mmCIF file of all heavy atoms in Angstrom:
data_model
loop_
_atom_site.group_PDB
_atom_site.id
_atom_site.type_symbol
_atom_site.label_atom_id
_atom_site.label_comp_id
_atom_site.label_asym_id
_atom_site.label_seq_id
_atom_site.Cartn_x
_atom_site.Cartn_y
_atom_site.Cartn_z
ATOM 1 N N GLU A 1494 -3.329 -13.029 -18.726
ATOM 2 C CA GLU A 1494 -2.480 -11.842 -18.437
ATOM 3 C C GLU A 1494 -2.768 -11.378 -16.992
ATOM 4 O O GLU A 1494 -3.953 -11.328 -16.583
ATOM 5 C CB GLU A 1494 -2.802 -10.704 -19.384
ATOM 6 C CG GLU A 1494 -1.930 -9.495 -19.242
ATOM 7 C CD GLU A 1494 -2.187 -8.435 -20.279
ATOM 8 O OE1 GLU A 1494 -3.129 -8.681 -21.125
ATOM 9 O OE2 GLU A 1494 -1.518 -7.443 -20.294
ATOM 10 N N PRO A 1495 -1.764 -11.002 -16.224
ATOM 11 C CA PRO A 1495 -1.991 -10.592 -14.813
ATOM 12 C C PRO A 1495 -2.728 -9.284 -14.748
ATOM 13 O O PRO A 1495 -2.455 -8.346 -15.553
ATOM 14 C CB PRO A 1495 -0.584 -10.503 -14.264
ATOM 15 C CG PRO A 1495 0.291 -10.234 -15.426
ATOM 16 C CD PRO A 1495 -0.319 -11.006 -16.588
ATOM 17 N N THR A 1496 -3.709 -9.175 -13.854
ATOM 18 C CA THR A 1496 -4.418 -7.964 -13.559
ATOM 19 C C THR A 1496 -4.393 -7.649 -12.076
ATOM 20 O O THR A 1496 -3.981 -8.543 -11.260
ATOM 21 C CB THR A 1496 -5.868 -8.042 -14.033
ATOM 22 O OG1 THR A 1496 -6.537 -9.136 -13.283
ATOM 23 C CG2 THR A 1496 -5.943 -8.325 -15.505
ATOM 24 N N PHE A 1497 -4.745 -6.506 -11.703
ATOM 25 C CA PHE A 1497 -4.675 -6.087 -10.272
ATOM 26 C C PHE A 1497 -5.438 -7.085 -9.392
ATOM 27 O O PHE A 1497 -4.948 -7.482 -8.324
ATOM 28 C CB PHE A 1497 -5.184 -4.652 -10.108
ATOM 29 C CG PHE A 1497 -5.090 -4.192 -8.654
ATOM 30 C CD1 PHE A 1497 -3.862 -3.705 -8.202
ATOM 31 C CD2 PHE A 1497 -6.184 -4.185 -7.839
ATOM 32 C CE1 PHE A 1497 -3.752 -3.225 -6.876
ATOM 33 C CE2 PHE A 1497 -6.054 -3.737 -6.510
ATOM 34 C CZ PHE A 1497 -4.850 -3.267 -6.006
ATOM 35 N N PHE A 1498 -6.641 -7.362 -9.744
ATOM 36 C CA PHE A 1498 -7.462 -8.272 -8.929
ATOM 37 C C PHE A 1498 -7.240 -9.756 -9.298
ATOM 38 O O PHE A 1498 -7.404 -10.624 -8.515
ATOM 39 C CB PHE A 1498 -8.939 -7.901 -9.048
ATOM 40 C CG PHE A 1498 -9.292 -6.594 -8.546
ATOM 41 C CD1 PHE A 1498 -9.564 -5.484 -9.375
ATOM 42 C CD2 PHE A 1498 -9.415 -6.376 -7.131
ATOM 43 C CE1 PHE A 1498 -9.843 -4.245 -8.861
ATOM 44 C CE2 PHE A 1498 -9.739 -5.124 -6.673
ATOM 45 C CZ PHE A 1498 -9.984 -4.098 -7.472
ATOM 46 N N GLY A 1499 -6.850 -9.982 -10.561
ATOM 47 C CA GLY A 1499 -6.697 -11.372 -11.004
ATOM 48 C C GLY A 1499 -5.603 -12.095 -10.328
ATOM 49 O O GLY A 1499 -5.679 -13.325 -10.136
ATOM 50 N N VAL A 1500 -4.544 -11.402 -9.855
ATOM 51 C CA VAL A 1500 -3.447 -12.125 -9.216
ATOM 52 C C VAL A 1500 -3.799 -12.678 -7.872
ATOM 53 O O VAL A 1500 -3.155 -13.574 -7.341
ATOM 54 C CB VAL A 1500 -2.219 -11.127 -9.020
ATOM 55 C CG1 VAL A 1500 -1.676 -10.702 -10.393
ATOM 56 C CG2 VAL A 1500 -2.602 -9.952 -8.203
ATOM 57 N N PHE A 1501 -4.940 -12.215 -7.319
ATOM 58 C CA PHE A 1501 -5.387 -12.788 -6.039
ATOM 59 C C PHE A 1501 -6.389 -13.895 -6.176
ATOM 60 O O PHE A 1501 -6.970 -14.412 -5.222
ATOM 61 C CB PHE A 1501 -5.982 -11.714 -5.149
ATOM 62 C CG PHE A 1501 -4.976 -10.612 -4.813
ATOM 63 C CD1 PHE A 1501 -5.058 -9.354 -5.428
ATOM 64 C CD2 PHE A 1501 -3.994 -10.867 -3.885
ATOM 65 C CE1 PHE A 1501 -4.116 -8.390 -5.106
ATOM 66 C CE2 PHE A 1501 -3.062 -9.887 -3.610
ATOM 67 C CZ PHE A 1501 -3.126 -8.619 -4.193
ATOM 68 N N THR A 1502 -6.677 -14.296 -7.427
ATOM 69 C CA THR A 1502 -7.614 -15.404 -7.691
ATOM 70 C C THR A 1502 -6.923 -16.707 -8.043
ATOM 71 O O THR A 1502 -7.589 -17.732 -8.183
ATOM 72 C CB THR A 1502 -8.605 -15.003 -8.806
ATOM 73 O OG1 THR A 1502 -7.846 -14.781 -10.028
ATOM 74 C CG2 THR A 1502 -9.361 -13.799 -8.465
ATOM 75 N N VAL A 1503 -5.595 -16.668 -8.198
ATOM 76 C CA VAL A 1503 -4.844 -17.878 -8.547
ATOM 77 C C VAL A 1503 -3.820 -18.109 -7.429
ATOM 78 O O VAL A 1503 -3.191 -17.129 -6.963
ATOM 79 C CB VAL A 1503 -4.131 -17.773 -9.913
ATOM 80 C CG1 VAL A 1503 -5.119 -17.803 -11.045
ATOM 81 C CG2 VAL A 1503 -3.305 -16.486 -9.993
ATOM 82 N N TRP A 1504 -3.724 -19.315 -6.995
ATOM 83 C CA TRP A 1504 -2.838 -19.607 -5.883
ATOM 84 C C TRP A 1504 -2.063 -20.888 -6.180
ATOM 85 O O TRP A 1504 -2.482 -21.834 -6.783
ATOM 86 C CB TRP A 1504 -3.644 -19.866 -4.558
ATOM 87 C CG TRP A 1504 -4.327 -18.608 -4.118
ATOM 88 C CD1 TRP A 1504 -5.534 -18.106 -4.547
ATOM 89 C CD2 TRP A 1504 -3.814 -17.704 -3.154
ATOM 90 N NE1 TRP A 1504 -5.773 -16.905 -3.925
ATOM 91 C CE2 TRP A 1504 -4.724 -16.634 -3.024
ATOM 92 C CE3 TRP A 1504 -2.681 -17.645 -2.382
ATOM 93 C CZ2 TRP A 1504 -4.540 -15.568 -2.195
ATOM 94 C CZ3 TRP A 1504 -2.439 -16.584 -1.518
ATOM 95 C CH2 TRP A 1504 -3.398 -15.557 -1.434
ATOM 96 N N ARG A 1505 -0.783 -20.936 -5.741
ATOM 97 C CA ARG A 1505 0.090 -22.060 -5.791
ATOM 98 C C ARG A 1505 1.009 -21.998 -4.585
ATOM 99 O O ARG A 1505 1.925 -21.177 -4.592
ATOM 100 C CB ARG A 1505 0.861 -22.073 -7.124
ATOM 101 C CG ARG A 1505 1.805 -23.292 -7.346
ATOM 102 C CD ARG A 1505 2.553 -23.151 -8.667
ATOM 103 N NE ARG A 1505 3.447 -24.195 -8.910
ATOM 104 C CZ ARG A 1505 3.172 -25.370 -9.511
ATOM 105 N NH1 ARG A 1505 1.956 -25.537 -9.992
ATOM 106 N NH2 ARG A 1505 4.101 -26.269 -9.753
ATOM 107 N N PHE A 1506 0.753 -22.849 -3.595
ATOM 108 C CA PHE A 1506 1.515 -22.706 -2.347
ATOM 109 C C PHE A 1506 2.974 -22.850 -2.561
ATOM 110 O O PHE A 1506 3.484 -23.810 -3.203
ATOM 111 C CB PHE A 1506 1.025 -23.753 -1.368
ATOM 112 C CG PHE A 1506 1.653 -23.683 0.022
ATOM 113 C CD1 PHE A 1506 1.224 -22.722 0.937
ATOM 114 C CD2 PHE A 1506 2.673 -24.510 0.392
ATOM 115 C CE1 PHE A 1506 1.818 -22.628 2.167
ATOM 116 C CE2 PHE A 1506 3.196 -24.455 1.664
ATOM 117 C CZ PHE A 1506 2.837 -23.477 2.542
ATOM 118 N N ASP A 1507 3.748 -21.867 -2.087
ATOM 119 C CA ASP A 1507 5.236 -21.865 -2.209
ATOM 120 C C ASP A 1507 5.771 -22.774 -1.071
ATOM 121 O O ASP A 1507 5.661 -22.450 0.103
ATOM 122 C CB ASP A 1507 5.777 -20.459 -2.108
ATOM 123 C CG ASP A 1507 7.230 -20.404 -2.466
ATOM 124 O OD1 ASP A 1507 8.033 -21.004 -1.779
ATOM 125 O OD2 ASP A 1507 7.577 -19.723 -3.465
ATOM 126 N N VAL A 1508 6.410 -23.878 -1.482
ATOM 127 C CA VAL A 1508 6.868 -24.864 -0.528
ATOM 128 C C VAL A 1508 7.982 -24.312 0.357
ATOM 129 O O VAL A 1508 8.200 -24.702 1.478
ATOM 130 C CB VAL A 1508 7.307 -26.161 -1.230
ATOM 131 C CG1 VAL A 1508 7.875 -27.167 -0.247
ATOM 132 C CG2 VAL A 1508 6.201 -26.746 -1.994
ATOM 133 N N MET A 1509 8.719 -23.283 -0.196
ATOM 134 C CA MET A 1509 9.833 -22.700 0.579
ATOM 135 C C MET A 1509 9.282 -21.569 1.428
ATOM 136 O O MET A 1509 9.182 -21.647 2.684
ATOM 137 C CB MET A 1509 10.894 -22.184 -0.362
ATOM 138 C CG MET A 1509 12.038 -21.446 0.375
ATOM 139 S SD MET A 1509 12.986 -22.499 1.522
ATOM 140 C CE MET A 1509 13.745 -23.620 0.381
ATOM 141 N N PHE A 1510 8.894 -20.451 0.829
ATOM 142 C CA PHE A 1510 8.539 -19.274 1.635
ATOM 143 C C PHE A 1510 7.163 -19.265 2.239
ATOM 144 O O PHE A 1510 6.919 -18.720 3.276
ATOM 145 C CB PHE A 1510 8.702 -17.958 0.742
ATOM 146 C CG PHE A 1510 10.089 -17.797 0.258
ATOM 147 C CD1 PHE A 1510 10.471 -18.134 -1.030
ATOM 148 C CD2 PHE A 1510 11.080 -17.263 1.095
ATOM 149 C CE1 PHE A 1510 11.778 -17.918 -1.456
ATOM 150 C CE2 PHE A 1510 12.355 -17.080 0.680
ATOM 151 C CZ PHE A 1510 12.749 -17.395 -0.597
ATOM 152 N N GLY A 1511 6.202 -19.975 1.528
ATOM 153 C CA GLY A 1511 4.899 -20.159 2.186
ATOM 154 C C GLY A 1511 4.974 -20.973 3.418
ATOM 155 O O GLY A 1511 4.380 -20.659 4.451
ATOM 156 N N ALA A 1512 5.787 -22.106 3.342
ATOM 157 C CA ALA A 1512 5.954 -22.919 4.551
ATOM 158 C C ALA A 1512 6.640 -22.152 5.665
ATOM 159 O O ALA A 1512 6.279 -22.216 6.828
ATOM 160 C CB ALA A 1512 6.736 -24.164 4.204
ATOM 161 N N ILE A 1513 7.655 -21.339 5.312
ATOM 162 C CA ILE A 1513 8.337 -20.550 6.345
ATOM 163 C C ILE A 1513 7.372 -19.570 6.981
ATOM 164 O O ILE A 1513 7.442 -19.314 8.213
ATOM 165 C CB ILE A 1513 9.539 -19.828 5.682
ATOM 166 C CG1 ILE A 1513 10.671 -20.841 5.367
ATOM 167 C CG2 ILE A 1513 10.099 -18.741 6.600
ATOM 168 C CD1 ILE A 1513 11.818 -20.301 4.627
ATOM 169 N N ALA A 1514 6.521 -18.908 6.173
ATOM 170 C CA ALA A 1514 5.574 -17.969 6.792
ATOM 171 C C ALA A 1514 4.629 -18.661 7.746
ATOM 172 O O ALA A 1514 4.418 -18.113 8.853
ATOM 173 C CB ALA A 1514 4.746 -17.347 5.606
ATOM 174 N N VAL A 1515 4.158 -19.789 7.390
ATOM 175 C CA VAL A 1515 3.256 -20.565 8.354
ATOM 176 C C VAL A 1515 4.067 -20.912 9.606
ATOM 177 O O VAL A 1515 3.532 -20.760 10.754
ATOM 178 C CB VAL A 1515 2.681 -21.775 7.648
ATOM 179 C CG1 VAL A 1515 1.899 -22.634 8.643
ATOM 180 C CG2 VAL A 1515 1.794 -21.350 6.516
ATOM 181 N N LEU A 1516 5.264 -21.448 9.446
ATOM 182 C CA LEU A 1516 6.021 -21.846 10.652
ATOM 183 C C LEU A 1516 6.386 -20.677 11.517
ATOM 184 O O LEU A 1516 6.311 -20.781 12.728
ATOM 185 C CB LEU A 1516 7.329 -22.553 10.178
ATOM 186 C CG LEU A 1516 7.155 -23.910 9.478
ATOM 187 C CD1 LEU A 1516 8.466 -24.419 8.976
ATOM 188 C CD2 LEU A 1516 6.548 -24.961 10.460
ATOM 189 N N LEU A 1517 6.773 -19.566 10.955
ATOM 190 C CA LEU A 1517 7.123 -18.365 11.726
ATOM 191 C C LEU A 1517 5.902 -17.873 12.527
ATOM 192 O O LEU A 1517 6.042 -17.515 13.703
ATOM 193 C CB LEU A 1517 7.631 -17.271 10.864
ATOM 194 C CG LEU A 1517 9.034 -17.512 10.248
ATOM 195 C CD1 LEU A 1517 9.418 -16.311 9.364
ATOM 196 C CD2 LEU A 1517 10.069 -17.661 11.323
ATOM 197 N N ALA A 1518 4.749 -17.896 11.907
ATOM 198 C CA ALA A 1518 3.558 -17.475 12.648
ATOM 199 C C ALA A 1518 3.239 -18.438 13.770
ATOM 200 O O ALA A 1518 2.939 -18.030 14.878
ATOM 201 C CB ALA A 1518 2.399 -17.406 11.669
ATOM 202 N N GLY A 1519 3.398 -19.779 13.544
ATOM 203 C CA GLY A 1519 3.124 -20.745 14.562
ATOM 204 C C GLY A 1519 4.067 -20.617 15.745
ATOM 205 O O GLY A 1519 3.690 -20.646 16.912
ATOM 206 N N PHE A 1520 5.404 -20.480 15.443
ATOM 207 C CA PHE A 1520 6.332 -20.392 16.518
ATOM 208 C C PHE A 1520 6.142 -19.086 17.311
ATOM 209 O O PHE A 1520 6.311 -19.069 18.580
ATOM 210 C CB PHE A 1520 7.788 -20.418 15.934
ATOM 211 C CG PHE A 1520 8.212 -21.738 15.370
ATOM 212 C CD1 PHE A 1520 9.060 -21.824 14.290
ATOM 213 C CD2 PHE A 1520 7.755 -22.902 15.936
ATOM 214 C CE1 PHE A 1520 9.432 -23.048 13.768
ATOM 215 C CE2 PHE A 1520 8.102 -24.125 15.416
ATOM 216 C CZ PHE A 1520 8.919 -24.206 14.360
ATOM 217 N N TYR A 1521 5.834 -18.033 16.637
ATOM 218 C CA TYR A 1521 5.603 -16.741 17.336
ATOM 219 C C TYR A 1521 4.405 -16.865 18.302
ATOM 220 O O TYR A 1521 4.459 -16.431 19.437
ATOM 221 C CB TYR A 1521 5.372 -15.634 16.340
ATOM 222 C CG TYR A 1521 5.469 -14.219 16.947
ATOM 223 C CD1 TYR A 1521 6.623 -13.522 16.883
ATOM 224 C CD2 TYR A 1521 4.308 -13.662 17.483
ATOM 225 C CE1 TYR A 1521 6.712 -12.204 17.411
ATOM 226 C CE2 TYR A 1521 4.385 -12.369 18.044
ATOM 227 C CZ TYR A 1521 5.557 -11.662 17.957
ATOM 228 O OH TYR A 1521 5.608 -10.405 18.522
ATOM 229 N N LEU A 1522 3.307 -17.431 17.781
ATOM 230 C CA LEU A 1522 2.139 -17.548 18.658
ATOM 231 C C LEU A 1522 2.393 -18.448 19.835
ATOM 232 O O LEU A 1522 1.888 -18.249 20.930
ATOM 233 C CB LEU A 1522 0.981 -18.086 17.819
ATOM 234 C CG LEU A 1522 0.375 -17.114 16.790
ATOM 235 C CD1 LEU A 1522 -0.711 -17.787 16.006
ATOM 236 C CD2 LEU A 1522 -0.166 -15.848 17.445
ATOM 237 N N ALA A 1523 3.176 -19.498 19.622
ATOM 238 C CA ALA A 1523 3.557 -20.399 20.705
ATOM 239 C C ALA A 1523 4.389 -19.613 21.756
ATOM 240 O O ALA A 1523 4.220 -19.817 22.989
ATOM 241 C CB ALA A 1523 4.346 -21.598 20.226
ATOM 242 N N GLY A 1524 5.242 -18.729 21.265
ATOM 243 C CA GLY A 1524 6.046 -17.905 22.227
ATOM 244 C C GLY A 1524 5.157 -16.959 23.041
ATOM 245 O O GLY A 1524 5.345 -16.816 24.220
ATOM 246 N N VAL A 1525 4.234 -16.326 22.347
ATOM 247 C CA VAL A 1525 3.308 -15.378 23.009
ATOM 248 C C VAL A 1525 2.482 -16.147 24.039
ATOM 249 O O VAL A 1525 2.260 -15.658 25.191
ATOM 250 C CB VAL A 1525 2.400 -14.695 22.037
ATOM 251 C CG1 VAL A 1525 1.313 -13.871 22.703
ATOM 252 C CG2 VAL A 1525 3.180 -13.801 21.072
ATOM 253 N N ARG A 1526 2.054 -17.352 23.699
ATOM 254 C CA ARG A 1526 1.275 -18.155 24.704
ATOM 255 C C ARG A 1526 2.122 -18.485 25.917
ATOM 256 O O ARG A 1526 1.634 -18.390 27.048
ATOM 257 C CB ARG A 1526 0.807 -19.437 23.980
ATOM 258 C CG ARG A 1526 -0.066 -20.321 24.892
ATOM 259 C CD ARG A 1526 -0.443 -21.608 24.139
ATOM 260 N NE ARG A 1526 -1.311 -22.443 24.943
ATOM 261 C CZ ARG A 1526 -1.739 -23.647 24.563
ATOM 262 N NH1 ARG A 1526 -1.337 -24.113 23.373
ATOM 263 N NH2 ARG A 1526 -2.471 -24.354 25.377
ATOM 264 N N SER A 1527 3.382 -18.760 25.702
ATOM 265 C CA SER A 1527 4.269 -19.062 26.819
ATOM 266 C C SER A 1527 4.457 -17.851 27.687
ATOM 267 O O SER A 1527 4.475 -17.910 28.928
ATOM 268 C CB SER A 1527 5.617 -19.550 26.314
ATOM 269 O OG SER A 1527 6.577 -19.769 27.345
ATOM 270 N N VAL A 1528 4.571 -16.667 27.082
ATOM 271 C CA VAL A 1528 4.741 -15.405 27.811
ATOM 272 C C VAL A 1528 3.498 -15.207 28.690
ATOM 273 O O VAL A 1528 3.589 -14.784 29.845
ATOM 274 C CB VAL A 1528 5.001 -14.220 26.881
ATOM 275 C CG1 VAL A 1528 4.858 -12.898 27.619
ATOM 276 C CG2 VAL A 1528 6.376 -14.353 26.257
ATOM 277 N N LYS A 1529 2.346 -15.357 28.096
ATOM 278 C CA LYS A 1529 1.073 -15.165 28.883
ATOM 279 C C LYS A 1529 0.983 -16.152 30.061
ATOM 280 O O LYS A 1529 0.519 -15.757 31.147
ATOM 281 C CB LYS A 1529 -0.138 -15.337 27.979
ATOM 282 C CG LYS A 1529 -0.202 -14.331 26.826
ATOM 283 C CD LYS A 1529 -0.341 -12.915 27.340
ATOM 284 C CE LYS A 1529 -0.475 -11.906 26.183
ATOM 285 N NZ LYS A 1529 -0.579 -10.516 26.673
ATOM 286 N N ARG A 1530 1.391 -17.376 29.815
ATOM 287 C CA ARG A 1530 1.338 -18.390 30.899
ATOM 288 C C ARG A 1530 2.259 -17.964 32.054
ATOM 289 O O ARG A 1530 2.010 -18.251 33.221
ATOM 290 C CB ARG A 1530 1.746 -19.728 30.424
ATOM 291 C CG ARG A 1530 0.678 -20.417 29.612
ATOM 292 C CD ARG A 1530 1.181 -21.771 29.088
ATOM 293 N NE ARG A 1530 0.089 -22.574 28.442
ATOM 294 C CZ ARG A 1530 0.248 -23.764 27.940
ATOM 295 N NH1 ARG A 1530 1.437 -24.385 28.052
ATOM 296 N NH2 ARG A 1530 -0.780 -24.391 27.347
ATOM 297 N N GLN A 1531 3.393 -17.322 31.731
ATOM 298 C CA GLN A 1531 4.313 -16.910 32.751
ATOM 299 C C GLN A 1531 3.911 -15.604 33.452
ATOM 300 O O GLN A 1531 4.553 -15.170 34.415
ATOM 301 C CB GLN A 1531 5.747 -16.736 32.144
ATOM 302 C CG GLN A 1531 6.342 -17.997 31.580
ATOM 303 C CD GLN A 1531 7.637 -17.710 30.941
ATOM 304 O OE1 GLN A 1531 8.553 -17.050 31.483
ATOM 305 N NE2 GLN A 1531 7.800 -18.211 29.721
ATOM 306 N N GLY A 1532 2.799 -15.021 32.976
ATOM 307 C CA GLY A 1532 2.330 -13.791 33.576
ATOM 308 C C GLY A 1532 3.118 -12.561 33.225
ATOM 309 O O GLY A 1532 3.048 -11.557 33.921
ATOM 310 N N LYS A 1533 3.877 -12.626 32.115
ATOM 311 C CA LYS A 1533 4.700 -11.507 31.692
ATOM 312 C C LYS A 1533 3.918 -10.656 30.735
ATOM 313 O O LYS A 1533 3.097 -11.183 29.966
ATOM 314 C CB LYS A 1533 6.011 -11.978 31.063
ATOM 315 C CG LYS A 1533 6.903 -12.809 32.015
ATOM 316 C CD LYS A 1533 8.139 -13.291 31.278
ATOM 317 C CE LYS A 1533 9.018 -14.086 32.181
ATOM 318 N NZ LYS A 1533 10.222 -14.655 31.480
ATOM 319 N N PRO A 1534 4.157 -9.336 30.686
ATOM 320 C CA PRO A 1534 3.415 -8.518 29.739
ATOM 321 C C PRO A 1534 3.917 -8.633 28.292
ATOM 322 O O PRO A 1534 5.115 -8.901 28.099
ATOM 323 C CB PRO A 1534 3.686 -7.080 30.280
ATOM 324 C CG PRO A 1534 5.028 -7.205 30.988
ATOM 325 C CD PRO A 1534 5.064 -8.589 31.565
ATOM 326 N N TRP A 1535 3.077 -8.463 27.331
ATOM 327 C CA TRP A 1535 3.461 -8.484 25.939
ATOM 328 C C TRP A 1535 2.482 -7.618 25.126
ATOM 329 O O TRP A 1535 1.248 -7.772 25.316
ATOM 330 C CB TRP A 1535 3.463 -9.947 25.390
ATOM 331 C CG TRP A 1535 3.990 -9.988 23.993
ATOM 332 C CD1 TRP A 1535 3.273 -10.201 22.874
ATOM 333 C CD2 TRP A 1535 5.356 -9.799 23.629
ATOM 334 N NE1 TRP A 1535 4.127 -10.152 21.737
ATOM 335 C CE2 TRP A 1535 5.392 -9.905 22.195
ATOM 336 C CE3 TRP A 1535 6.528 -9.528 24.289
ATOM 337 C CZ2 TRP A 1535 6.594 -9.770 21.498
ATOM 338 C CZ3 TRP A 1535 7.698 -9.399 23.573
ATOM 339 C CH2 TRP A 1535 7.716 -9.509 22.185
ATOM 340 N N LYS A 1536 3.008 -6.767 24.346
ATOM 341 C CA LYS A 1536 2.157 -5.836 23.557
ATOM 342 C C LYS A 1536 1.419 -6.609 22.487
ATOM 343 O O LYS A 1536 2.052 -7.350 21.671
ATOM 344 C CB LYS A 1536 3.004 -4.743 22.975
ATOM 345 C CG LYS A 1536 3.632 -3.754 23.949
ATOM 346 C CD LYS A 1536 4.300 -2.634 23.258
ATOM 347 C CE LYS A 1536 4.901 -1.663 24.239
ATOM 348 N NZ LYS A 1536 5.571 -0.502 23.573
ATOM 349 N N ARG A 1537 0.137 -6.380 22.429
ATOM 350 C CA ARG A 1537 -0.621 -7.031 21.351
ATOM 351 C C ARG A 1537 -0.218 -6.509 19.964
ATOM 352 O O ARG A 1537 -0.333 -7.208 18.975
ATOM 353 C CB ARG A 1537 -2.162 -6.766 21.601
ATOM 354 C CG ARG A 1537 -3.073 -7.452 20.592
ATOM 355 C CD ARG A 1537 -4.548 -7.255 20.968
ATOM 356 N NE ARG A 1537 -4.812 -7.843 22.241
ATOM 357 C CZ ARG A 1537 -6.003 -7.750 22.820
ATOM 358 N NH1 ARG A 1537 -7.026 -7.137 22.208
ATOM 359 N NH2 ARG A 1537 -6.216 -8.360 23.991
ATOM 360 N N SER A 1538 0.161 -5.233 19.935
ATOM 361 C CA SER A 1538 0.529 -4.695 18.622
ATOM 362 C C SER A 1538 1.756 -5.429 18.036
ATOM 363 O O SER A 1538 1.809 -5.601 16.800
ATOM 364 C CB SER A 1538 0.925 -3.177 18.768
ATOM 365 O OG SER A 1538 1.986 -3.041 19.679
ATOM 366 N N TYR A 1539 2.660 -5.921 18.848
ATOM 367 C CA TYR A 1539 3.786 -6.668 18.360
ATOM 368 C C TYR A 1539 3.290 -7.932 17.637
ATOM 369 O O TYR A 1539 3.766 -8.290 16.552
ATOM 370 C CB TYR A 1539 4.685 -7.104 19.482
ATOM 371 C CG TYR A 1539 5.544 -6.004 20.050
ATOM 372 C CD1 TYR A 1539 6.278 -6.161 21.229
ATOM 373 C CD2 TYR A 1539 5.610 -4.783 19.450
ATOM 374 C CE1 TYR A 1539 7.066 -5.163 21.787
ATOM 375 C CE2 TYR A 1539 6.386 -3.715 20.028
ATOM 376 C CZ TYR A 1539 7.097 -3.928 21.171
ATOM 377 O OH TYR A 1539 7.850 -2.946 21.690
ATOM 378 N N THR A 1540 2.340 -8.617 18.244
ATOM 379 C CA THR A 1540 1.791 -9.860 17.645
ATOM 380 C C THR A 1540 1.097 -9.546 16.382
ATOM 381 O O THR A 1540 1.259 -10.301 15.387
ATOM 382 C CB THR A 1540 0.820 -10.533 18.642
ATOM 383 O OG1 THR A 1540 1.436 -10.731 19.903
ATOM 384 C CG2 THR A 1540 0.280 -11.817 18.078
#
């Protein structure tokens, strides 16, 4: 039976949304890296 803490002890990677979450994070960090290389400002809070 699901409990408040028990739901965080079982994991099953979601091939659709879990993969999208990882890809979005990777693409965003690559974009921030490109901005830094160009010497443009970027708010850390956005990241």
